[in-house]
Amino acid sequence: MTDMLAKYAAKLVVAGLCAPGEPLLAALDAELSFSHAGDARQPLAETVIQGLGTAALLIARPMGACQQTMLALAEEALATGAGFVVPGDCETRTFLHDLPVVRGLEAQGVMAALSRRKGCIIVDSGQAFMAAAGSVSPEQAFVTASSMAFACFVAYFAKHLRDVRVGGMTAARRAGFAAIRAQLDQDMARLPQAPPPLLAGPFADEDQARAAMIEAGRCVVEYGLVDSSFGNVSCRQPTPAGELLLISQTGSSLDELGGCIDPCRFDGTSCVGLTASSELVAHRAIYDGGPARTILHGHPRFAVILSMDCDKLECPGLGQCHRSCATPRGLLDAALGLDIPIVPGEVGTGPFGLCNTLPPALNQEGGKRGAIVYGHGLFATGAVDFRDAFATLFSVERYSREEYFRRVDGLDGTALSH
Ligand SMILES: [Zn+2]
């Protein structure tokens, strides 16, 4: 058990969310185990895990811009008395709901918060910590923690741009933002700056297509483009027995897809429907209606943040943008050849499901390289293999980050001193 706990602690470090050796994971099996020994938070973890009767618990202090964005939101929630951070992205809507904020690394407050939610933010000694419970496994606590870090990052930057648009800036807010921006520049400098040499297509057979999917999944996580727990990968592959739609399983980790890829048929007759990604219907519709051979889907942070930015401050549809939006939107930059539509759409196949909005957006006018679902993430397509899909994901996220700060600077002139 200790090995598994150490593995998930290490995944938070690889994802750039925590410093090496920092995340503490605990699990109650036949006995209580920890990811590492000698951590002063062990008694707290033991009390909480036994008090809640849960299988696993994670306590971790995020670092870098994740620390600063989470702390800023948590301190505001405490100062206003709200007691919650309420991010507006899709992961939060479907997975976390809201994030309770408690004061102090002490058991009572953490237990009260975790009895209602999967995760909570703890503010202690001027630092933000994440606590997350896993009812059956340590992996659940890891997934919750990485989703919390993502949600707070997205919520902070989205809120800042929205507040700049309505003229709600103060000197203190600007100073806090400038510090977070400088930290983000440092975080980004640690990441690879050019796309990797991925397997070239067309793939000779199903095994090669699977290997390419595993490689692409691992690289999007290593490049810091997406979190491992949210997203999916698929490939349309001819085989002697007919064409297959190979797709990652629901709940699989993008950086560990070996053994987690389902072969589905295009006519839907023999799909392993119970384990295939929840977005199988959307993937199939994209392949049916256009030339794509591969699809790479993840939640790159600034692409998600920009998708939620809108200058129609009086729009009657506000609050429902993730379900429907009458205004055609997109990321457009003629000089860069960038043309990425932004569409509404909920997860799944309901009336507002992205399976109705996304495929037509990608397949319009001879095909787009990618499309963003509002507040959710990017679906990038490849014409032959994953090299072009990866390049789209890479360039869209880089463009989105630069465009985000261009918009903030353009709207809030005093930030130009950065
Ligand atoms: Zn998604």
Side-chain angles (χ1 to χ4, degrees), residues 12 18 22-24 41 58-62 70 128-131 145:
L12 286 169
C18 298
E22 202 287 328
L24 177 68
R41 298 169 297 186
L58 181 151
I59 302 173
R61 177 167 51 84
M70 190 175 288
F129 293 79
M130 306 181 277

Side-chain angles (χ1 to χ4, degrees), residues 138-163:
E139 184 181 13
Q140 292 174 311
F142 161 78
V143 171
T144 295
S146 58
S147 192
M148 287 173 68
F150 167 86
C152 288
F153 186 99
V154 167
Y156 174 85
F157 283 102
K159 181 175 189 303
H160 188 85
L161 181 50
R162 195 163 56 240
D163 289 350

Side-chain angles (χ1 to χ4, degrees), residues 384-396:
V384 181
D385 50 37
F386 287 102
R387 291 178 301 176
D388 41 359
F390 189 100
T392 297
L393 184 51
F394 188 83
S395 60
V396 165

Side-chain angles (χ1 to χ4, degrees), residues 105-264:
L105 280 163
E106 55 87 22
Q108 287 308 317
V110 175
M111 282 196 291
L114 291 185
S115 63
R116 302 178 41 249
R117 290 286 183 258
K118 297 185 183 105
C120 70
I121 305 170
I122 305 161
V123 177
D124 190 283
S125 311
Q127 297 270 299
F129 293 79
M130 306 181 277
S135 55
V136 298
S137 74
E139 184 181 13
Q140 292 174 311
F142 161 78
V143 171
T144 295
S146 58
S147 192
M148 287 173 68
F150 167 86
C152 288
F153 186 99
V154 167
Y156 174 85
F157 283 102
K159 181 175 189 303
H160 188 85
L161 181 50
R162 195 163 56 240
D163 289 350
V164 163
R165 280 200 186 281
V166 298
M169 271 306 106
T170 62
R173 288 276 304 277
R174 283 195 188 98
F177 182 76
I180 290 176
R181 182 175 184 171
Q183 178 65 55
L184 181 68
D185 287 345
Q186 280 184 35
D187 294 357
M188 289 295 150
R190 291 186 299 109
L191 295 170
Q193 302 297 317
L198 297 174
L199 275 171
F203 308 125
D205 52 30
E206 185 182 338
D207 283 351
Q208 209 179 74
R210 285 172 180 267
M213 290 172 70
I214 292 167
E215 180 188 56
R218 197 183 66 240
C219 284
V220 288
V221 175
E222 281 176 5
Y223 272 62
L225 290 167
V226 306
D227 285 351
S228 61
S229 318
F230 293 90
N232 36 65
V233 184
S234 74
C235 179
R236 170 183 206 161
Q237 178 63 30
T239 74
E243 203 168 40
L244 287 181
L245 197 175
L246 299 166
I247 189 163
S248 52
Q249 291 175 356
T250 185
S252 56
S253 275
L254 285 178
D255 55 346
E256 298 178 80
L257 285 181
C260 299
I261 294 171
D262 280 350
C264 301

